[in-house]
Amino acid sequence: MRYQFDQFIFDGDNAQLSGPDGEIALRPITVQVLRYLLENAQRLIGHEELLDEVWGRQAVSVGVVSQSIRELRQALGDSARNSIYIETKHKLGYRFIAQPQLMGEVASIEQRMQANSAPRAESMARATTPAKPANYRLGVAIAALVLSALIAIVWIYKSTRTSAEERAWATIEPLHEGRPREPEALAWYAQGLEALRHGNLLSAHEKLDRSLKREPASAAAMVAMAEVLAQSGNLLEAREWVKSAADWVASLPRASQLRLEGFRAGLDYRHADEIAAWQALHKLDPGDSDAGFHLLDALINAGRRADAEHLLDQLSVQQAPALDGPRLALMSAKLAALRGDHHMRVQAAQEALAKAGNDTERIDALLELAMAELLGGRMPAIRQTLERADNLLITTPLPRAQLRRQMIAATLLRVEGQYAESIATFDAVEKSAASLGQRKLIVEARREAAFVMSEAGDQTKAISALKSVRDEQTPMGDPRALASTLDVLSIVEQRVGDLTAAEASAQAALQAYLDAGDLTGEASARNTLGMLHARSGRAADAQEQWEKALALFVGNADRRGEATARSNLAILYARAGRVDAARDANEAALVAFKAVDSTPDIARLQFNLGVQDRRAGRIRAAETRFREALDAFTQIGAEDSRLQVVASLGELLLLRADLDGAASLLSAVEFSERTAVSRRAAIETARAREAALRGENETAGAGFRLALQLRQQAGLTDWARMSELDLAELAARQGQLGDAEQSARELRRAMLEAKDAHAGVQAGVLLAGALSAQGRDEHAGNTLDDLEKELLDNPDALLTLRVDLLRASLRDADRRGAFEHVAARARDVGFELLALRADLLADGANAENARTELGRRGVAVNGMPPPIPY
């Protein structure tokens, strides 16, 4: 793009500034500063914005900005005191105060736009204007030349632009007829669309507002304003502008009427009407590939994936010269993303990159590729991709692309466990988005930052931030965006144990997705509701929601969603004792995850399968699953998930009486300020349990208390109860049976009230053990009766063995045989620690052997009350 101001010409494409005496040499970074000032002429630009947009917020100081400004002033013969071109606002920033004009490439939009307006204006002038004298006609001729110069500031649409640029503008301008006729209004309209293309919604709004004030009846400008408002997230106001445009579009050709109908239905989430309008336009003009792309988008939004795939195939074989190859490939990537197929998404993004005809298209393709690589766990590749995008963004600054790049970087930091850096990057996105009027992106960045806060352990702050986002989004009229926030809010509320609030948020999210007709969102919301019901012990309700989610995922050909729903159902099947059904569901889920080549998802499923195997008593299989998940998370650099697996694997090794193996694993963990509170608490808990087994009670107590403090500070109420239970069990080991009994009783009551059935059984086991150790066998027996009933609904192999061990201690006859039976069962499934404990309680030769073996493994034996199980 070329700009002229006074005697100077700036050629943006060739990064060249020329003056009366020829080319003026500038440093490359100064060229970028000049480009940005010209693109935002008349607007005050702050130091921070220039650092963000030109230097990309690298490790530089504000001084580099003033250095480039001084260089520009010297080149232009300008001064800070008597500014002609660059005005300085002390402590605020800079403004390019001259009005640059676009050159060279500004004729063709005038040709196309004037095709509608100029002939009619000319005929009206002939019909209404009397003859004028020759000198007047000369004045008119001169005025016409001035008018042509004014219109020449408008960009070219077809005649002289490249095919790639034509495609870009076709995707930006919502309505191709009904443009402003008045020259200045037309110029403002053109500049508004230019700003819209770059994602500067504030500037686009301002320019279109000026255009509409000059010519209020321009339907194209009205619809363009609606597009700006829709992109900013304000659907209610966008709908009002479209409503205003409807009367003016009625006199336009049928194609424009269909465009407006499709656009308006999309804003209202009336998917059937949207599809019908774009289908009619596509049939009316099969060569209009833009209509085909809009139809494709509408089918995707309606959840009609099969129809979308079919249309995509049709467009792919279309031989129209105007077919936008990069856009088609990116649509293919979008479909792959919705299927959860990261491998195909990567391939489609690479195809878009190969077909790109300019840097803008290359940047869009690279950012799509980076996101696909991120979700697919390809960490080394994503950094190279982002670096390639950064290099292009230096020479071709695109605000919307820079914001997207920052969002990807922030998400990458979250995956790597760098929470403070991730939050700071999302905050930077929010500030940059605010300077561009990207309100929709502002709230998205806030929501994502709040989720990272939750991951880092600050649940209270996260919930407060999410509620603020929810309240801000509600009046914006976009149910899909609101539903996304409610979804995240529900997850965080689950983490703090507020299941009532979590269910209310999940139900609200589901309703919002239903209002938007978003089948993918509906499936996700039902998946969340299923998790809530399962956690509350409502197995039938959980199964109903997960089966509905599964049907939606399968219907939408979403392999990743399908895998998630199947793995969740497997948990229910396992708890209900349906071992074969659970195994089949898990294997089907694993196949689906592998089909979409998603390393993070495969690792997460392996971890979940390990948890299920441990609960089902398949300890060796669980250890294998955990180690596979650990290797995968280590490979992709997902530190938060890695620590979760380390804690679980360490606990598992303790259950196998492998204290040395657990110590080796847990001692290798080093915490940093980036470590999530929840993960540190889990590691500290595992270390404390190892210390307790070795008889190092002071160390164990300090570890349990630290974990409790961390969980309380993070607002993790249900996990804080588990830390209190650990402290109560430690008290019981030390013979403080009365205190242990009271704590266990209170905790069990709280856990059951919170509908945390599994935790309630754990507290009940300790309560029964404390009662038995105090000789209150009848009360202990009654508690065990209750636990056995609860375990029918929540099966757990280890808890069942612990209950059986306590039951054996209450027997009057053949107690040794009962202990030996429990030991054999525990040893058979891999719970060696419990097996040795049962052998020890059996007395006789087995007891001596067990004492020796426990000592060899480093497990303390002396001083622990007999009925308290490991």
Side-chain angles (χ1 to χ4, degrees), residues 498-532:
D498 191 348
L499 300 189
T500 301
E503 182 169 353
S505 296
Q507 290 284 7
L510 175 58
Q511 187 57 55
Y513 281 127
L514 290 170
D515 291 342
D518 187 338
L519 297 180
T520 300
E522 178 191 347
S524 175
R526 292 193 183 282
N527 198 50
T528 301
L529 270 175
M531 288 189 286
L532 274 165

Side-chain angles (χ1 to χ4, degrees), residues 348-394:
Q350 289 172 336
E351 181 183 352
L353 182 60
K355 293 182 176 180
N358 57 36
D359 283 352
T360 298
E361 291 177 347
R362 292 185 189 94
I363 291 168
D364 287 338
L366 284 168
L367 293 179
E368 179 65 23
L369 177 59
M371 198 64 201
E373 290 169 340
L374 174 61
L375 295 177
R378 304 180 179 189
M379 298 308 170
I382 185 179
R383 297 191 182 283
Q384 295 177 5
T385 302
L386 289 176
E387 185 177 350
R388 292 172 66 187
D390 290 340
N391 291 335
L392 291 175
L393 283 168
I394 292 174

Side-chain angles (χ1 to χ4, degrees), residues 396-543:
T396 310
L398 289 172
R400 60 170 177 79
Q402 288 167 335
L403 288 174
R404 187 181 178 197
R405 188 256 185 264
Q406 283 182 287
M407 289 290 286
I408 295 172
T411 305
L412 175 60
L413 290 168
R414 175 182 64 77
V415 170
E416 293 176 334
Q418 301 185 48
Y419 299 121
E421 294 86 346
S422 177
I423 292 171
T425 306
F426 279 125
D427 288 344
V429 172
E430 180 186 343
K431 292 176 183 177
S432 298
S435 71
L436 298 171
Q438 293 266 11
R439 188 181 176 193
K440 187 174 183 180
L441 188 58
I442 291 171
V443 294
E444 183 181 345
R446 288 179 186 167
R447 180 183 67 227
E448 295 304 309
F451 182 69
V452 181
M453 293 172 198
S454 174
E455 293 282 283
D458 196 343
Q459 311 301 332
T460 302
K461 189 174 181 180
I463 289 176
S464 176
L466 286 166
K467 287 182 176 178
S468 175
V469 172
R470 177 199 62 190
D471 295 342
E472 184 174 348
Q473 283 180 313
T474 300
M476 293 170 70
D478 189 341
R480 179 179 286 156
L482 176 62
S484 297
T485 299
L486 290 167
D487 243 345
V488 177
L489 178 58
S490 176
I491 291 171
V492 179
E493 287 168 337
Q494 282 188 66
R495 288 178 176 174
V496 300
D498 191 348
L499 300 189
T500 301
E503 182 169 353
S505 296
Q507 290 284 7
L510 175 58
Q511 187 57 55
Y513 281 127
L514 290 170
D515 291 342
D518 187 338
L519 297 180
T520 300
E522 178 191 347
S524 175
R526 292 193 183 282
N527 198 50
T528 301
L529 270 175
M531 288 189 286
L532 274 165
H533 294 328
R535 186 171 176 181
S536 302
R538 294 157 57 184
D541 292 336
Q543 182 170 340

Side-chain angles (χ1 to χ4, degrees), residues 525-656:
R526 292 193 183 282
N527 198 50
T528 301
L529 270 175
M531 288 189 286
L532 274 165
H533 294 328
R535 186 171 176 181
S536 302
R538 294 157 57 184
D541 292 336
Q543 182 170 340
E544 178 186 5
Q545 292 297 338
W546 279 337
E547 287 179 346
K548 287 182 177 180
L550 177 60
L552 287 166
F553 285 132
V554 171
N556 291 338
D558 184 343
R559 297 301 304 276
R560 183 176 181 276
E562 173 195 344
T564 302
R566 289 192 188 281
S567 63
N568 287 335
L569 282 167
I571 298 173
L572 284 185
Y573 298 153
R575 289 181 180 177
R578 299 171 58 188
V579 179
D580 291 339
R583 185 182 299 109
D584 291 344
N586 277 325
E587 291 302 328
L590 192 57
V591 168
F593 277 136
K594 288 181 177 179
V596 297
D597 192 26
S598 177
T599 301
D601 286 319
I602 294 170
R604 276 190 287 270
L605 180 58
Q606 291 285 39
F607 174 74
N608 291 338
L609 289 173
V611 173
Q612 293 174 32
D613 285 336
R614 180 184 62 192
R615 185 170 288 189
R618 297 188 291 270
I619 302 304
R620 297 172 185 85
E623 182 177 349
T624 300
R625 301 277 195 189
F626 284 156
R627 292 194 183 279
E628 289 178 359
L630 181 60
D631 289 343
F633 286 132
T634 301
Q635 175 188 344
I636 65 177
E639 180 64 11
D640 183 73
S641 297
R642 188 186 75 84
L643 290 180
Q644 182 183 24
V645 180
V646 167
S648 297
L649 180 56
E651 298 268 13
L652 186 69
L653 293 172
L654 294 177
L655 293 175
R656 298 194 62 181

Side-chain angles (χ1 to χ4, degrees), residues 226-259:
E227 174 68 17
V228 169
L229 291 164
Q231 286 194 25
S232 71
N234 194 343
L235 291 192
L236 294 180
E237 193 174 347
R239 289 166 185 151
E240 289 301 315
W241 275 105
V242 171
K243 184 178 179 182
S244 299
D247 292 337
W248 299 99
V249 172
S251 61
L252 295 178
R254 176 62 176 159
S256 291
Q257 295 175 32
L258 289 172
R259 276 189 179 278

